């Protein structure tokens, strides 16, 4: 059962995702978490590097939707400082379907064409796995967490440790490798 918490891919950061290969293999929509995925939770503005990444991804043909469990003001302000994207969802209550469903509607994307990218196993990965997206776990950009997140990190570390040792990880790597080569 713990396997529902295992990502399809675990990488260092949003900058090390093999986007080109994802694109070639039919993923054309990216749902990005914000807090600790793009910037630390207490940083209000996107960095130049985030803006450049989003510009590049849009040029590559990706539709981007920000899907955050954060508050409206925080998310709207952050998105307003980014290059234009398909849309955003605040208070998404990941891992529930509520927000990701909204994001699917905004982007008019089908689950198989979506990758969700985030730093948390219990929100981002679980939401993606439940919805049938390709799920990418990234390392948190900062050690600083909101209290509710901080409480989950120790359990998360156990899950990630198990994942790294698991057959599922090897299986994922194999499947993904074949998927990329096909
Ligand atoms: Mg996050």
């Amino acid at each position: 059962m713990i396997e529902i918490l295992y990502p399809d891919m675990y990488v260092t950061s949003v900058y090390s995702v093999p986007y080109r290969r994802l694109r070639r293999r039919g993923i054309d929509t990216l749902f990005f978490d914000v807090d600790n995925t793009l910037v630390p939770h207490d940083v209000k503005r996107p960095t130049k590097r985030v803006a450049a990444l989003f510009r590049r991804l849009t040029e590559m043909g990706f539709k981007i939707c920000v899907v955050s469990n954060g508050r409206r003001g925080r998310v709207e302000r952050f998105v307003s400082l980014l290059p234009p994207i398909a849309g955003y969802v605040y208070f998404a209550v990941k891992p529930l379907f509520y927000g990701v469903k909204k994001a699917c509607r905004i982007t008019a994307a089908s689950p198989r064409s979506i990758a969700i990218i985030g730093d948390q196993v219990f929100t981002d990965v679980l939401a993606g796995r439940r919805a049938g997206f390709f799920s990418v776990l990234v390392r948190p950009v900062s050690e600083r967490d909101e209290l509710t997140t901080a409480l989950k990190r120790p359990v998360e570390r156990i899950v990630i440790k198990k994942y790294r040792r698991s057959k599922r990880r090897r299986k994922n790597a194999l499947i993904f490798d074949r998927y990329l080569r096909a």
Side-chain angles (χ1 to χ4, degrees):
M1 267 324 282
I2 194 179
E3 302 208 343
I4 190 81
L5 297 168
Y6 291 171
D8 293 296
M9 181 183 261
Y10 182 34
V11 291
T12 318
S13 79
V14 293
Y15 307 104
S16 44
V17 178
Y19 294 106
R20 200 162 296 281
R21 291 189 247 161
L22 291 180
R23 187 71 193 85
R24 277 207 297 269
R25 296 308 304 162
I27 288 171
D28 64 3
T29 305
L30 303 171
F31 292 175
F32 276 98
D33 173 51
V34 177
D35 290 338
N36 253 338
T37 296
L38 296 172
V39 292
H41 78 89
D42 50 359
V43 172
K44 293 192 168 66
R45 313 170 61 93
T47 57
K48 282 190 182 142
R49 200 174 177 201
V50 170
L53 174 70
F54 275 26
R55 219 171 287 120
R56 184 166 72 83
L57 294 174
T58 304
E59 281 165 15
M60 284 168 66
F62 284 109
K63 286 178 282 184
I64 299 174
C65 190
V66 158
V67 184
S68 169
N69 282 359
R71 268 172 271 122
R72 180 176 182 171
R74 192 278 194 270
V75 177
E76 282 188 344
R77 187 194 156 123
F78 187 85
V79 170
S80 75
L81 297 167
L82 284 169
I85 55 171
Y88 61 90
V89 179
Y90 55 85
F91 193 60
V93 287
K94 293 170 286 182
L96 303 186
F97 281 141
Y98 171 75
V100 288
K101 196 173 150 193
K102 247 181 166 172
C104 286
R105 232 179 272 141
I106 289 169
T107 53
S110 65
R112 286 174 58 85
S113 68
I114 299 167
I116 186 167
I117 301 158
D119 70 300
Q120 281 195 65
V121 162
F122 292 105
T123 57
D124 308 304
V125 172
L126 185 55
R129 291 290 315 278
R130 289 185 69 221
F133 308 156
F134 190 84
S135 84
V136 182
L137 179 69
V138 298
R139 292 212 187 121
V141 295
S142 160
E143 299 275 301
R144 305 193 298 279
D145 270 320
E146 282 190 296
L147 180 64
T148 48
T149 307
L151 294 171
K152 286 181 272 183
R153 291 290 185 201
V155 191
E156 194 166 71
R157 273 194 284 275
I158 296 170
V159 174
I160 293 171
K161 208 166 158 188
K162 279 183 180 290
Y163 165 70
R164 301 187 84 149
R165 284 202 204 124
S166 72
K167 280 186 192 145
R168 158 95 193 177
R169 186 194 183 205
R170 285 196 293 276
K171 210 168 112 199
N172 273 346
L174 274 173
I175 291 168
F176 191 66
D177 206 50
R178 246 181 277 138
Y179 179 78
L180 296 180
R181 276 164 215 279

